Amino acid sequence: MDTTRRETRSVIDVRGLRKRYGTKQAVDGLDLRVDQGEIFAVLGPNGAGKTTTVEILEGFRDRDSGEVTVLGQDPASGGRAWRSRLGVVLQDSRDQVELTVRELVRHFAGFYPAGRDPEEVIDAVGLREKESTRARHLSGGQRRRLDVALGIVGRPELLFLDEPTTGFDPQARRSFWELVRSLREDGTTILLTTHYLDEAAFLADRVAVVRDGRVVALDTPDALGGPQARRPVVRWTGPDGTTHAERTTHPERLVAELTANGALDGEAPGLQVEHPSLEDVYLELIGTAAPTTASTTATTTAPEGSTQGRSTEEVAR
Amino acid sequence: MSATAPPDDARATAGLRLPSAARLGIDRTGIELRAFVRERDAVIFIFTYPLIMMVIFATVFSGQDQSADGYGVPFAQYFLPGMVATGIMLTSFQSLATSIAVERDDGTLKRLRATPLPAVSYFYGKIGLILLTTIVQTSLLLVLAATVYDVPMPADVSSWATFAWVFVLGTTTGTICGVAFSSLPRSGKSATAVVTPVVLVLQFISGVFFAFFALPSWMQTVASVFPLKWMAQGMRSVFLPHDAQVLEVAGTWQHGATAAVLGAWLVVGLVVGIRTFRWRRRDDG
């Protein structure tokens, strides 16, 4: 990454983290570094070790081995002062349903030495109209906003968000994302785990993909997977009506060549240059590549009438 | 939200102190009370169960005595101490064993664990709630017994002193055993089903619904292992005349044994509670 980030302090530092449950090696030598002020997303399939890792960082679980430092301390021995600098938004929440939004936010604010003003927090998460509503009667999205309110009311330096927008409608997600971005602008470092690739793409400064208890890729959302995985796919329909696709680092050059050798006429029906989405790259990284990606890598500029071209055509129909 | 977080060292030099565990315990008591009074069915159960039992039994057996070998006391007077003891067990042991199991299951405990709230403050809140509910419930019961069923209230200081220590020790033991027992139910839903039978059986064998002296001796022996029998006996020593000791199996009030058994359960509950208490569900690792 850029040099300014290198110079900033790390908020989370993990080296060689391991955790085993029975015969399952849930975390298998994981390394991670999260810098101050960034939104860092951890992606990975279920069972990849995301939750175990995050819960070790939060001080909920013990580790078998490895070095872990969160806000300068080992989470396994983090005391109250350390906890007061963290905010944790857990995955599912259905607790304390009889208390109202305002009661809960005020109550939790009292746990911290330098908490935020509860009223400001209620406004920030957009629950002003629901301040006197019991948690029981909040919608899923409102409940999640309350969770975030309780997570940030202590003015944390580091906030953990575990799958925060599961079950949101698109509009609720968008406004939730804006809230998370505003927290970063306030200087909060955020560790986000999510299943949604678009969420990571929209929010994260950097993304780590975890698979089998290890980090298999780590970069900005735009660069994840490296140049090879980022090669665009050119699709076109030849003069005989067959469809073709080719993966290339230089799509313009390929189009020029095709036009020159007559594979494409002036009309160029069905000509497309597709850049792999974060989702395509992610699926390839975790070893379950999307079928379209698999077929395009296999297909090359096939000669007219070849079986491959025909099968592609059939698939297209 | 506009204010940025002060950097670390600024926090340290500003001398920002964590709130004291005692103050947070008071906050917790307040929030526990609010949540409690909003669970209407629980409130109704806790406060009316002993009253309804008192009304039913005192009405059905009105005019009868609990007597043996020519000595007897009015039924309502014998029944009241057992009901006071039962009430204490309900508000301390049963409500806590259930509520902590539910709070573990629904994630309240895990959420609190993620904050700088000290564990003792959480328990201070529970103790505060239990003290208040137990005092209210016992007062209601005593008022009902004294006004409707003419049960005489003790007039001497030493009886009330006995009441005080049995009440405090019984509530404390019930509370601590409740915390320990809360780890047993596998889920919040099963908590009531696991806790209620224990409480119900103890009520039958400990001299609450039936006169203790009238129970088979093996049942008396089993009951003597558990705290409820001793709480009921201790309360009888408060609300029954001095001569009623002849109705006890041992022929005396056995204050020493009462204190010893309740104290032993307190210690056992504490050890088990500390070893088994979990902030997370079992299936949550």
Side-chain angles (χ1 to χ4, degrees), chain A residues 195-235:
Chain A
H195 279 307
Y196 300 119
L197 282 300
D198 55 341
E199 185 160 289
F202 187 86
L203 285 177
D205 299 303
R206 288 193 300 153
V207 177
V209 177
V210 176
R211 178 188 169 188
D212 299 329
R214 253 180 254 154
V215 174
V216 293
L218 172 67
D219 217 321
T220 62
D222 298 335
L224 196 76
Q228 279 300 309
R230 291 279 163 186
R231 282 182 307 161
V233 175
V234 178
R235 293 175 200 278

Side-chain angles (χ1 to χ4, degrees), chain B residues 21-26 28-29 119-129:
Chain B
R23 205 212 81 195
L24 289 174
I26 294 168
R28 285 300 304 166
T29 304
V120 286
S121 301
Y122 171 76
F123 290 110
Y124 288 161
K126 290 289 180 201
I127 291 166
L129 174 69

Side-chain angles (χ1 to χ4, degrees), chain A residues 55 60-61 80 83 85 93-95 98 103 107 110 112-113 120 124 134 143 147 155 157 186, chain B residues 1 8 11 17 19 23-24 28 34 38 105-106 108 110-111 113 115-116 118 280-281 284:
Chain A
E55 293 203 338
F60 278 126
R61 275 171 210 276
R80 286 183 66 199
R83 288 223 166 272
R85 298 164 61 199
S93 57
R94 51 201 169 85
D95 57 314
E98 300 299 343
E103 284 167 349
H107 180 57
Y112 298 86
E120 278 182 32
R134 294 188 195 179
R143 174 78 226 207
D147 290 337
R155 203 188 294 278
E157 293 163 52
D186 277 0
Chain B
M1 292 300 294
D8 257 16
R11 284 190 190 202
R17 289 233 189 99
R23 205 212 81 195
L24 289 174
R28 285 300 304 166
R34 281 184 196 212
R38 285 176 196 168
D105 198 46
D106 71 17
T108 304
K110 191 172 180 181
R111 185 194 296 277
R113 192 60 180 154
T115 72
R280 288 175 294 147
R281 292 192 295 271
D284 193 15

Side-chain angles (χ1 to χ4, degrees), chain B residues 25-37:
Chain B
I26 294 168
D27 285 2
R28 285 300 304 166
T29 304
I31 213 87
E32 292 273 8
L33 261 178
R34 281 184 196 212
F36 171 76
V37 297

Side-chain angles (χ1 to χ4, degrees), chain B residues 5-16:
Chain B
D8 257 16
D9 4 342
R11 284 190 190 202
T13 49
L16 292 170

